[in-house]
Every structure is written in C-alpha cells, then in structure tokens.
Amino acid sequence: MSLEIEGLSWGHALPGGGWRQLFDGFNLHCPGGQFVVLIGSNGSGKSTLLNLIAGSIPAATGSVRLEGRELLRLQAHRRARSIGRVMQNPLDGTAPGLTIAENLRLAECRRRSLLQPQALLGLHPGRGDRRRYAALLEELGLPLADRLETPVGQLSGGQRQTISLVMVCLGAPRLLLLDEHTAALDPRAEDSVMRLTQQLVQRLGTTTLMVTHSLEQALGYGDRLLMLQDGALIGDWSAAERQQFTPAALQALYGSATVPEEHISRS
Ligand SMILES: Nc1ncnc2c1ncn2[C@@H]1O[C@H](COP(=O)(O)OP(=O)(O)O)[C@@H](O)[C@H]1O
Ligand SMILES: [Mg+2]
C-alpha cells in the first residue's frame, strides 16, 4: 500500500529552554510495496519519524495516509494493527515467558480479533497451529521448527528478533517499520535477521521503512535509500543511484546540511 506523508510537523522543548522544530512540513511518498532504507546521524529524527508515522508520538500537523486512508485519525488499536514494528531491543517484540508457538499464536490472534473478538479466547496453540508454525519456520529456512515449545526468553537476541519478525508478519501489516532492528546483534545474527527481513518483505509485498545504523545494509538492501538530517531529507536515491557510493563516501555525508551536487541524480 502506498504511503503518503504530507506536511508533517513536530518539535520539542530544549533542555535549556527554547524550542526545536525538528520536522517542519515533512513530505514523503512511497509507492506500495517499496522497501525504503532510512539512514542519518544520531538525533537526526529517524526514530521520531517512525513514531510519528505509527502515531506513538502525536504530530502537530500533517497527514500520514496508507493507500489514501488517513492513519493518524484511526483509533490507536486499529492503527496498531495496520502497522508492524520491530524495534532495536530484542526484548521488546516477544513475550519471554511464553513459548515460540504461544508467541506466534498471540500474533495471529491479534490480527483475527479485528474480525472476531472471541478469537482472543483461543490463545493456546492447538496441534494444527503447531504444525502450521513448524511448516512456516521451515519454509522460511529458520532452524527453530523443532523448538516451538521453547520459552522465547531462552533464545538468543538474534533468534528473538527472528521470532519478532515472523510475529509481525503473521499480523499481515499494511506497513512495516523497522527501527535499527539488528543494531543489538552480533554480525552473524545480523546477517541472518537481514536475510529474513528481505525474504519477508518480498513475500508479503508490504511497504517497508527500515532505519539502519549499518552502511553496508544501506547499500545492500531495499529499493530506495533516504538520508535524514535535522528532520529533513538530504538524500533520496534509487537502488541503481546508490551504487555510486562506497560505505566511506556515504559516511562522509553524515551530518551534512545538504548533499553535494555530484550525488544528486538528475534522472
Ligand atoms: N519525546 C521527546 N522529547 C524531547 N526531545 C525528543 C523526544 N524525542 C526525540 N527527541 C529529540 O529529537 C531528536 C531526534 O531524536 P531521534 O528521532 O531519536 O533520533 P535518531 O533516531 O535519528 O537518532 C533528538 O535530538 C532527541 O533528543
Ligand atoms: Mg533512533
């Protein structure tokens, strides 16, 4: 589903007094199914932008539409069902005391409860559910199919992020927001979570906005690369255009107020 952000504004009080207008009439249009990667220096507003889109921080003005439908006016629980989010901390997305199967069941019930509230009563995964989950995990190439009864709290950070991603996707979101979801992982787990991310985005065709700290990810994933600085986009490159960059060249743009002419596409 297409994402249209128009005229988004938000500011915050400064610790020493005064006001900082971080977003001031921010616009962004993404066609349905686009996988957008967002980078920018610390404090440039990446997480705030995702929070504004998700409505977890109320925007002062502006609109966020998914396929023409205003998200910011939806009730919080409906908005939450439209949007799948995976955050940086592997502890955030899953319930540690519940098993993998129970977590997956929870994610499915959350989606179904939109149609039938009584579905929430059947939280316990049945034999059929377990078979489906095992098949899904195998299909995704994840070595967790035989660990459905393991409490998620016993998994590694990478495995927890894996389950968080699968849960989000079981909810069939209309928009996927990923905020540095591999930042807390070791390089091997980072690779496997990124491969799964790519696979799920392709499989579901969900419009995706992924914030990353990793320049390698920024150059290797997604259909489009955005660079944010002080709440404004200073770079917007297609997958073909970003081939002009090495990680070091991209790094050099961090903290710039504007991107030099030679990096701006004329196409
Ligand atoms: N709720 C808030 N109140 C005050 N300042 C905030 C709040 N949320 C974010 N900020 C400030 O807004 C700026 C952008 O933060 P953030 O979006 O977290 O940056 P990023 O994710 O790009 O590192 C930072 O300067 C941060 O201190
Ligand atoms: Mg952030």
Side-chain angles (χ1 to χ4, degrees):
M1 297 198 171
S2 65
L3 170 68
E4 294 112 33
I5 303 175
E6 267 163 28
L8 202 62
S9 297
W10 181 85
H12 63 89
L14 292 169
W19 186 260
R20 178 187 184 207
Q21 192 63 34
L22 183 59
F23 290 97
D24 192 7
F26 181 92
N27 300 314
L28 175 65
H29 288 208
C30 307
Q34 192 167 61
F35 181 1
V36 181
V37 178
L38 178 64
I39 56 173
S41 48
N42 276 342
S44 58
K46 304 177 300 295
S47 295
T48 305
L49 179 61
L50 297 200
N51 284 327
L52 289 167
I53 294 171
S56 39
I57 298 179
T61 62
S63 75
V64 176
R65 292 192 302 272
L66 263 184
E67 205 66 29
R69 196 159 168 232
E70 179 59 59
L71 264 185
L72 300 185
R73 276 198 292 276
L74 286 183
Q75 283 175 296
H77 69 282
R78 287 190 178 270
R79 201 168 52 223
R81 285 206 187 92
S82 298
I83 298 177
R85 297 185 83 178
V86 182
M87 317 298 267
Q88 180 172 338
N89 188 341
L91 305 180
D92 280 345
T94 44
L98 301 183
T99 65
I100 291 182
E102 286 163 346
N103 270 278
L104 297 179
R105 179 78 185 136
L106 197 65
E108 265 188 336
C109 289
R110 229 177 128 241
R111 173 187 177 193
R112 284 195 199 142
S113 65
L114 188 62
L115 304 170
Q116 41 178 151
Q118 68 272 25
L120 275 176
L121 296 175
L123 264 183
H124 193 70
R127 221 178 319 168
D129 297 321
R130 286 164 205 277
R131 264 200 300 270
R132 274 189 305 113
Y133 300 150
L136 174 66
L137 294 174
E138 253 165 41
E139 203 182 317
L140 293 170
L142 302 171
L144 292 167
D146 56 354
R147 300 192 61 189
L148 284 179
E149 307 314 322
T150 305
V152 163
Q154 291 178 13
L155 300 179
S156 68
Q159 289 168 329
R160 281 186 79 153
Q161 286 302 64
T162 297
I163 297 300
S164 296
L165 267 173
V166 174
M167 284 173 73
V168 155
C169 292
L170 279 175
R174 300 185 172 104
L175 176 67
L176 185 56
L177 302 177
L178 307 171
D179 193 352
E180 304 203 21
H181 69 309
T182 65
L185 307 181
D186 64 57
R188 240 178 88 188
E190 174 183 337
D191 271 358
S192 87
V193 169
M194 276 314 300
R195 278 199 305 275
L196 177 66
T197 304
Q198 169 99 306
Q199 202 183 346
L200 289 171
V201 169
Q202 260 165 10
R203 184 182 165 125
L204 299 171
T206 310
T207 310
T208 300
L209 205 49
M210 177 180 89
V211 172
T212 183
H213 61 293
S214 153
L215 297 174
E216 284 75 20
Q217 283 178 17
L219 294 176
Y221 288 93
D223 308 313
R224 180 179 180 185
L225 175 63
L226 301 177
M227 185 177 257
L228 193 70
Q229 180 60 35
D230 288 327
L233 288 179
I234 60 164
D236 185 350
W237 300 281
S238 68
E241 287 164 350
R242 79 176 168 211
Q243 288 182 348
Q244 64 177 305
F245 293 117
T246 58
L250 204 54
Q251 174 85 61
L253 299 177
Y254 269 63
S256 320
T258 54
V259 164
E261 279 278 306
E262 69 265 26
H263 293 308
I264 298 171
S265 157
R266 310 238 164 263
S267 59

